[in-house]
Amino acid sequence: MNQVPLPKEGIMPGASGAEELLYAGRPALVPGFGAALLAVVTLGISLLVGWFRTRGVQYKITSQRIVIERGVFSKRMEQIDLYRVVDYVVERPFGQRVMGTGNLVLESMDKTSPQIRIENIKTDVMALYERLRFATEQEKRRRGVRVVDNERV
């Protein structure tokens, strides 16, 4: 008796198998040079505060959506589909470049979340930006979304 294989779930529950995980993680405990210096000056007390802060934020970026979960005791989940993203900003101040972290700021067409900040992530932010930009364009093409810019010069 042959069994029919069950459909594979994507990265997110209920998603198709086409969804690819681009990044998952929390903000860096020591995001920049200034935070490292502060940890030394306060004998590590600032690290304890930073640890609680970073435990309260979880980022998950896939080829179809961005999910940000905030909170330690009470949780709040914010999600935006990639086809709604219209602009990107990569922030890499000197202190963050030294520590290998950075920020992504995304502008979207979403009414509840017109700006998404993904802060202090410890990864190659430029490579993530390129993959995210490509995934956004692919998702817009897949859904047949066209963005019309009405600005007059």
Side-chain angles (χ1 to χ4, degrees):
M1 182 170 173
N2 290 340
Q3 289 190 2
V4 178
L6 296 173
K8 292 183 179 179
E9 290 290 324
I11 301 302
M12 302 296 217
S16 69
E19 190 168 20
E20 176 190 355
L21 183 65
L22 303 178
Y23 176 81
R26 299 186 187 305
L29 180 60
V30 182
F33 186 71
L37 188 60
L38 183 63
V40 170
V41 170
T42 62
L43 303 175
I45 294 173
S46 68
L47 285 178
L48 186 62
V49 172
W51 185 81
F52 279 110
R53 221 177 258 155
T54 60
R55 293 298 107 192
V57 180
Q58 174 74 36
Y59 300 121
K60 190 174 289 186
I61 302 172
T62 73
S63 59
Q64 295 179 3
R65 67 189 102 214
I66 298 169
V67 179
I68 302 173
E69 190 174 298
R70 297 181 195 277
V72 175
F73 299 113
S74 297
K75 298 281 189 180
R76 179 173 190 255
M77 187 193 72
E78 184 177 359
Q79 174 185 302
I80 184 164
D81 291 321
L82 281 189
Y83 76 91
R84 293 183 171 276
V85 175
V86 293
D87 195 23
Y88 312 84
V89 175
V90 176
E91 297 175 341
R92 295 179 58 216
F94 177 72
Q96 284 188 324
R97 284 196 333 251
V98 168
M99 299 303 285
T101 62
N103 307 322
L104 280 173
V105 183
L106 310 172
E107 299 289 330
S108 75
M109 298 181 294
D110 194 71
K111 288 180 177 33
T112 59
S113 304
Q115 186 182 70
I116 305 285
R117 292 190 61 85
I118 302 168
E119 298 183 308
N120 303 326
I121 53 177
K122 189 160 184 68
T123 187
D124 183 351
V125 181
M126 291 304 294
L128 179 59
Y129 155 74
E130 290 296 337
R131 292 181 70 200
L132 188 58
R133 193 174 67 82
F134 178 76
T136 301
E137 292 306 314
Q138 290 295 102
E139 192 63 11
K140 285 179 182 177
R141 244 183 248 115
R142 186 177 76 83
R143 291 178 179 250
V145 174
R146 299 202 193 304
V147 178
V148 179
D149 192 0
N150 291 6
E151 286 188 37
R152 292 184 183 198
V153 182

